[in-house]
Amino acid sequence: MSLSSTLNQGLLKPWVKPVLWVVCAVPALVLLFAASMDALGANPAEALIKESGEWALRWLWLTLLITPLRDIAGLPTILRYRRTLGVTAFVYAVLHLLAYAWLDKGWVMDDIVRDVIKRNFIFVGMLTFVLMLPLALTSFNAAIRALGGRRWQMLHKLVYFVALSGLFHFYLKKAAKNDVSEVMVYALILAVLLGWRVMRKGGIVAMLRVR
């Protein structure tokens, strides 16, 4: 039996998804534990905002990695876990937003609105979250049936714009501190993930088209 066949069979085991959910929860649990132990440094609110935001990007990048892995490694069964990773990315984005709105702004809506209007990276971050919402709200089987497969696939092409917008949000935040080296790593990974799709589909338009 080939390695890909063995891996495909292993990915069908019923315990894989619960284990994956546990793995997905670990960074959040570590952050919450560190916060409870006052171990996040001099500015715990900033640390929580930063880490939750970066984890949202990491899980989103892993979501985009699933399709290349399926094709390159011959693992069709890995697709069953793409939704889990996508939902995880959204959950961390929610934590990122909550940490900002609660810990940084104290739920003062006037201050939040002022930030959105005046600070470019906050505006782009909010836009990214808004783009993620329809993906999260249609991430269950009933939504697929209600929308129909083709319309659901068209909607979920938004993930590419979410990734680009999320990266731009991260860049604007880091650029304000003249520190974009980490952003470049994320950008390189995203360029590979999207570039592979463009080459495989035969162009950007073809990548966005639903067949």
Side-chain angles (χ1 to χ4, degrees):
M1 184 180 292
S2 67
L3 177 60
S4 60
S5 297
T6 301
L7 289 173
N8 275 308
Q9 289 187 9
L11 288 169
L12 291 172
K13 300 293 184 182
W15 51 264
V16 175
K17 186 166 286 189
V19 169
L20 179 59
W21 279 117
V22 171
V23 171
C24 290
V26 166
L29 294 175
V30 170
L31 280 174
L32 292 175
F33 178 74
S36 69
M37 299 298 291
D38 197 21
L40 288 177
N43 193 336
E46 182 179 351
L48 279 172
I49 294 169
K50 174 182 179 296
E51 291 298 323
S52 59
E54 290 191 30
W55 273 108
L57 287 183
R58 290 166 191 154
W59 291 119
L60 185 57
W61 271 218
L62 285 171
T63 304
L64 292 171
L65 179 62
I66 292 294
T67 299
L69 271 182
R70 177 198 64 182
D71 292 353
I72 295 170
L75 296 173
T77 54
I78 203 171
L79 281 179
R80 65 195 286 126
Y81 305 107
R82 182 169 58 188
R83 189 185 308 180
T84 300
L85 295 174
V87 170
T88 299
F90 178 73
V91 169
Y92 278 83
V94 170
L95 292 175
H96 181 59
L97 177 60
L98 288 176
Y100 160 74
W102 177 25
L103 301 177
D104 189 42
K105 296 301 175 184
W107 296 114
V108 179
M109 293 307 299
D110 286 347
D111 289 348
I112 294 172
V113 171
R114 191 176 301 113
D115 257 3
V116 172
I117 295 171
K118 292 187 175 181
R119 303 172 76 183
N120 289 339
F121 81 93
I122 298 291
F123 174 80
V124 174
M126 289 295 184
L127 175 62
T128 303
F129 186 78
V130 169
L131 290 174
M132 290 185 83
L133 271 175
L135 304 184
L137 294 174
T138 57
S139 62
F140 49 93
N141 292 334
I144 300 174
R145 290 192 296 269
L147 288 171
R150 183 179 176 81
R151 280 185 293 180
W152 186 88
Q153 288 180 46
M154 288 177 63
L155 176 63
H156 280 252
K157 293 288 183 179
L158 272 175
V159 69
Y160 305 136
F161 299 98
V162 168
L164 291 169
S165 181
L167 180 66
F168 189 42
H169 167 63
F170 189 35
Y171 166 76
L172 291 173
K173 172 66 174 176
K174 288 289 191 176
K177 299 179 179 180
N178 294 315
D179 177 20
V180 296
S181 56
E182 191 177 4
V183 180
M184 294 302 102
V185 175
Y186 283 84
L188 178 60
I189 295 171
L190 183 61
V192 171
L193 292 172
L194 296 185
W196 178 86
R197 286 170 165 83
V198 170
M199 289 187 294
R200 178 174 173 269
K201 295 291 187 178
I204 295 176
V205 173
M207 180 184 75
L208 297 174
R209 185 182 300 125
V210 175
R211 292 181 173 85

